[in-house]
Each structure stands twice: as structure tokens, then as C-alpha cells.
């Protein structure tokens, strides 16, 4: 892998819109990614192994619960800082950002928002420090885009709940200490339950042979008559809106994160195009390559402006779920297109692990599917502007 020479593009001087705290948070993460992630990530991805040695560093840079209040161990930062952290981590690798997204928005967020005080005290500080790693079980073998149809169920047995069912495609599941699991009660109402590793009947087999997010561990959650203590039910919200509320926070982080992947591809392609000569001059001097690079920086700049504005709205509690869907959808497609174009600029070198582009490209094929597919986010926008749902 070539040394990390990343230089972030900022064509519209967006730095001027950031506070000193935003820039400090961003630059700290950027340095950490250069120092700790870039040197090891290609080997981890090639070996399809999650680099668990990064967990302590992720906790230290505030990537576990950036916006969770400090009293619970979080970093107490605003939404723009949260976005910038995701951007910098995904500049290194989408799989590492996945671990941070899941921990923050899909595990800490529901415990913070829907949990009781005991649950918050018990789990949040350990999740913030990385002592506990969590995962989020919503998707099932027969219910991906339509989680409302889930079949995982729990029964009230008097002194405990009995949980049965299975979840599939769960980031972090193979090594997670706890899982926030969404299941229906006997009346068919969806609730969140905290399931701990070691509970009898609970297993987490790993999913192998992925071509994408290879540095992230993905697996199943299997519940075979698992006895879940009653105090592990999240009491303060139920219904499909509860897991979907967590997704809003994670999708927002992804809208920022993928800008990092796009910036890394663009920066690599620009440097390569200026250094690589064919027909007696740098390939950056050919109009076809300039078209690609000029369109890339334009799209990155538009995505940066979109997420910055979304961050301001989130800080004011005014961002809608539909706005988040639009940003996630637009920015992931933008990043995937840039990864594909950048790879071509590198010619044959682009397919090797000497450069990060092909790894970003493969990762983004997962990112365009998880947290709501590209189609589902388009339908969410369609529903928002017409008032008519077209999911069924
Ligand atoms: P629908 O009837 O529209 O809504 C049910 C209830 O939920 C409310 N709601 C939301 N609440 C908060 N945030 C949102 N984004 C919400 N969207 C809807 C809604 O108001 C309603 O509330 P109430 O009180 O009236 O009951 O539900 P539907 O069944 O028609 O489905 C709508 C649809 C298709 C948009 C939704 O199911 C959906 O978003 N599907 C996509 C599933 C998905 O995104 N799964 C992601 C799994 S987790 C994951 O991928 C993690 S990857 C992590 C990583 O590694 O980084
Ligand atoms: P399906 O829902 O079967 O969709 C297949 C195709 O049909 C898609 O193109 C889709 O857009 C289209 N489609 C579906 N419904 C409609 C419709 N109404 N109209 C038009 N087209 C439609 N889930 C978790 O719960 N937790 C996790 O941590 C997690 N991590 C993941 C990690 C990875 C690496 C991956 C790949 C997935 C992960 N997921 C996770 C699952 C992810 O959220 C689902 O894959 C996603 O929601 C889509 O579900 P599906 O794969 O079952 O596809």
C-alpha cells in the first residue's frame, strides 16, 4: 500500500463555516486515520479480518457516541462534529466507519433515547470506552427493506421474556458483547431488547465470502429460546418508529461518511493523473481525464454543502427523516460514481491493493444497500413530495 498522502479538497472554503472545535475534532480524526488505519487497512481487508486493535483508538477520538452526553461517557459534541468524525473514518475505510456508526447510532442511541436510567448507567459508559461493542438486529432473512414484517418474537413468561427468531447481515455481530434486537411481542408490537453474549440459546455465526466491507465483521443473530431478563427491554419507545428513529441518526452519519471515501478516491486519482505520463505528457493534461476530475470535485462540493446544511438542521432539531434519506441516497451514489471513475484514471494500477480506490468501491456497494437501499430512499422522497406511499 502506498503511503497515505491524503489532502482534503475544500473547493468552496467550507472550513470557514466550521467552528474551532469542529476543525480540532476533524483534524484529530484525520491524523489518527493516517497514523493507525491507513498502514493496516489494506491487509485487513485482503485477509477479511476486522482490525480489532483499532477499537481503543476509535473510543479515544470520540467515535463511540460523539453526541451522547458526557455524563454517560459520550463526547457531548454537536451533529456537525459527529458528521466530520464519520467522514474522516470512512476516508480510511467504510467498514471501520460501520463499526463506529453501529456502536454510536444503533446501539448507544436507542439505549440513550429509549432506555431507562439503569440501562443507561450500565451500558453507555462501557460502550463509549470500547469495553463493550454492540450490534443492531433489525434485518431478517425474509425481511430486509420491509422490517415491519419481522418474525422474531418474544413471549412474557412472568419473570423473563423468551426470545425466538433470527437476524441476518448484522455488522459487528460475531464479536459484539451486546445486541439491541428488535422483536414483536404477543400483540405484534415491536420492542427493543438488549441481548448479552453468553445468554443461553444466543449465537452469532459469521457471514463469510463477502467481496465488500471485508474489514468489517458481519454475521447472524440466532435466538433459540433465549431467556431475556425483563429489565433488558427498552421501555420508552415501541413500534417500528423506534428502530427507524435510530436509522435516521446512522443514515445521517453515512451521508457524511461517504464524502470521506469520495475525497480519498478523488485525491488519489488527481495525484496519479498529474504524475502518470502517456503520449509524452501527464494524463491530467488530457480533456477526458480533466472532465472526470472536474465533475468529481463538483459533486463532492455539492455533497459537502448538503451535509453541512443538514448538520445545521440536525443541531436545531429541524431535519426531517426524508431530508436525511435524500442526503444518504445522493451522497452514496456520488461516492460510488467517483470511486468507479477514479479507478479508471489509475488504469490497471486501480485494481490493485496498492491504492485504496478499489476497496472503497467494493465497500460502497454495501453502503448503497444497507441502512435502506437506494430504491427505498428514492421512494421515501417520492412519498414525502407526493403524500402517497409507493412501497406496496
Ligand atoms: P411506516 O408505516 O411508513 O412507518 C412506521 C412508523 O415508523 C415511523 N417512521 C419513522 N420514524 C422515525 N424515523 C424514520 N426514518 C421513520 N420512518 C417511518 C412512521 O411515522 C410510523 O410511525 P407510527 O407512529 O405512525 O407507527 O413503515 P413501513 O412499514 O411502510 O416502512 C417504511 C420504510 C420502507 C421506509 C421503512 O421500513 C424503511 O426505512 N425500510 C428500510 C429498512 C432499513 O433501512 N433497514 C436498515 C437495517 S440496519 C442497517 O442496515 C445497519 S448497517 C450499519 C452499518 O454497518 O453501518
Ligand atoms: P431486499 O429488501 O430483499 O431488496 C432487494 C431489492 O429489492 C433491492 O434492490 C431493493 O431496493 C428492492 N426493493 C425492495 N422493496 C422494494 C419496493 N417496495 N419497491 C422497489 N424496490 C424494492 N441490517 C441490520 O439490521 N443491522 C446491521 O448491522 C446490518 N449490517 C449490514 C451490513 C452489510 C455488509 C450489509 C450488506 C447489510 C447489512 N444490514 C444490516 C442489512 C441491510 O439493512 C439490508 O440488506 C437492506 O435493508 C436491504 O435488505 P435486503 O438485503 O433483504 O434486500
Amino acid at each position: 500500500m502506498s503511503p497515505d498522502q491524503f489532502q482534503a479538497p475544500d473547493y468552496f472554503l467550507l472550513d470557514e463555516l466550521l467552528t474551532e472545535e469542529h476543525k480540532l475534532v476533524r483534524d484529530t480524526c484525520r491524523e489518527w486515520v493516517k497514523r493507525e488505519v491507513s498502514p493496516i487497512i489494506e491487509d485487513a481487508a485482503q485477509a477479511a479480518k476486522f482490525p480489532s486493535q483499532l477499537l481503543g483508538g476509535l473510543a479515544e477520538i470520540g467515535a463511540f457516541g460523539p453526541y451522547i452526553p458526557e455524563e454517560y461517557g459520550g463526547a457531548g459534541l454537536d451533529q456537525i462534529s459527529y458528521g466530520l468524525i464519520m467522514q474522516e473514518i470512512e476516508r480510511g475505510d467504510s467498514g471501520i466507519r460501520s463499526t463506529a456508526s453501529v456502536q454510536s447510532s444503533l446501539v448507544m442511541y436507542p439505549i440513550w433515547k429509549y432506555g431507562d436510567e439503569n440501562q443507561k448507567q450500565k451500558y453507555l459508559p462501557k460502550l463509549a470506552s470500547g469495553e463493550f461493542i454492540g450490534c443492531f438486529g433489525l434485518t431478517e432473512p425474509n425481511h430486509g427493506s420491509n422490517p415491519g414484517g419481522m418474525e422474531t418474537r418474544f413471549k412474557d413468561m412472568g419473570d423473563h421474556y423468551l426470545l425466538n427468531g433470527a437476524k441476518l447481515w448484522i455488522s459487528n455481530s460475531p464479536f459484539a458483547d451486546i445486541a439491541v434486537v428488535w422483536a414483536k411481542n404477543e400483540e405484534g408490537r415491536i420492542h427493543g431488547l438488549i441481548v448479552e453474549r453468553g445468554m443461553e440459546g444466543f449465537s452469532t455465526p459469521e457471514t463469510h465470502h463477502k467481496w465488500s466491507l471485508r474489514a468489517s465483521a458481519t454475521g447472524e443473530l440466532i435466538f433459540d429460546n433465549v431467556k431475556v431478563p425483563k429489565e433488558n427491554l427498552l421501555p420508552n419507545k415501541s413500534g417500528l418508529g423506534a428502530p427507524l428513529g435510530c436509522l435516521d441518526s446512522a443514515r445521517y452519519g453515512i451521508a457524511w461518511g461517504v464524502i470521506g471515501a469520495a475525497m480519498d478516491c478523488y485525491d488519489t486519482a488527481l495525484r496519479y493523473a498529474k504524475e502518470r505520463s502517456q503520449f509524452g505528457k501527464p494524463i491530467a493534461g488530457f480533456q477526458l481525464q480533466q472532465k472526470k476530475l472536474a465533475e468529481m470535485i463538483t459533486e463532492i462540493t455539492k455533497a459537502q454543502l448538503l451535509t453541512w446544511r443538514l448538520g445545521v438542521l440536525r443541531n436545531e432539531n429541524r431535519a426531517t427523516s426524508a431530508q436525511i434519506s435524500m442526503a444518504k441516497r445522493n451522497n452514496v451514489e456520488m461516492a460510488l460514481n467517483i470511486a468507479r471513475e477514479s479507478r479508471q484514471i489509475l488504469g490497471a494500477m486501480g485494481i490493485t491493493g496498492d491504492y485504496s480506490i478499489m476497496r472503497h468501491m467494493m465497500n460502497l456497494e454495501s453502503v448503497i444497500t444497507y441502512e435502506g437501499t437506494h430504491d427505498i430512499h428514492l421512494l421515501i422522497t417520492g412519498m414525502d413530495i407526493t403524500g402517497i406511499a409507493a412501497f406496496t
Side-chain angles (χ1 to χ4, degrees), residues 87-367:
Q87 170 188 289
E88 294 306 315
I89 298 175
E90 191 145 4
R91 209 278 295 171
D93 190 81
S94 304
I96 308 305
R97 196 270 305 137
S98 263
T99 294
S101 291
V102 170
Q103 183 89 340
S104 300
S105 290
L106 300 183
V107 179
M108 296 178 75
Y109 178 90
I111 294 174
W112 174 47
K113 281 287 177 189
Y114 315 145
D116 62 28
E117 197 52 37
N118 283 341
Q119 292 166 338
K120 292 183 209 184
Q121 297 289 351
K122 180 174 177 188
Y123 296 108
L124 291 178
K126 287 185 173 160
L127 289 160
S129 70
E131 183 181 341
F132 277 4
I133 296 298
C135 67
F136 175 89
L138 182 63
T139 305
E140 299 188 352
N142 295 326
H143 301 281
S145 296
N146 175 28
M150 69 175 66
E151 294 161 49
T152 299
R153 289 226 153 22
F154 65 98
K155 259 191 191 168
D156 190 336
M157 306 301 281
D159 63 342
H160 64 270
Y161 298 118
L162 201 63
L163 178 66
N164 278 290
K167 302 286 176 180
L168 188 64
W169 298 115
I170 308 303
S171 299
N172 298 351
S173 93
F175 61 89
D177 302 284
I178 64 168
V180 170
V181 176
W182 301 94
K184 284 181 179 165
N185 67 10
E186 288 148 282
E187 287 80 49
R189 183 89 184 154
I190 295 172
H191 288 267
L193 297 157
I194 303 169
V195 180
E196 297 184 13
R197 184 171 295 284
M199 286 181 175
E200 208 177 322
F202 175 42
S203 58
T204 61
E206 184 158 359
T207 302
H208 294 290
H209 300 139
K210 292 179 299 168
W211 283 113
S212 174
L213 283 198
R214 287 171 64 80
S216 161
T218 314
E220 300 171 51
L221 301 174
I222 296 174
F223 315 105
D224 179 10
N225 286 318
V226 180
K227 283 185 185 176
V228 181
K230 284 203 150 170
E231 65 261 26
N232 284 26
L233 181 125
L234 298 175
N236 294 332
K237 188 158 169 110
S238 63
L240 187 58
L244 293 180
C246 309
L247 294 184
D248 274 358
S249 179
R251 290 167 177 172
Y252 166 76
I254 290 172
W256 279 90
V258 293
I259 294 175
M263 290 196 304
D264 197 47
C265 293
Y266 164 77
D267 180 60
T268 305
L270 178 62
R271 187 171 305 106
Y272 188 89
K274 289 200 267 188
E275 287 169 0
R276 171 77 174 167
S277 284
Q278 288 293 289
F279 299 95
K281 66 174 186 180
I283 58 169
F286 295 114
Q287 285 187 355
L288 278 176
Q289 306 314 318
Q290 287 193 3
K291 177 175 189 290
K292 288 182 188 133
L293 291 162
E295 285 176 352
M296 283 182 209
I297 190 61
T298 308
E299 291 307 313
I300 288 172
T301 304
K302 284 153 68 178
Q304 287 171 328
L305 286 162
L306 188 61
T307 40
W308 180 82
R309 177 64 185 153
L310 191 60
V312 171
L313 293 175
R314 292 267 300 167
N315 277 341
E316 295 169 357
N317 276 324
R318 290 199 295 142
T320 65
S321 299
Q323 287 169 337
I324 294 168
S325 280
M326 182 186 281
K328 190 265 185 188
R329 182 175 188 276
N330 181 77
N331 290 9
V332 179
E333 183 176 45
M334 172 281 297
L336 194 47
N337 287 340
I338 285 179
R340 288 172 180 153
E341 293 283 47
S342 302
R343 204 224 48 78
Q344 292 201 52
I345 291 178
L346 267 70
M349 287 310 292
I351 71 152
T352 71
D354 288 355
Y355 296 89
S356 55
I357 294 175
M358 189 83 178
R359 177 167 45 78
H360 283 308
M361 190 170 112
M362 302 295 269
N363 284 342
L364 290 163
E365 290 291 344
S366 284
V367 182

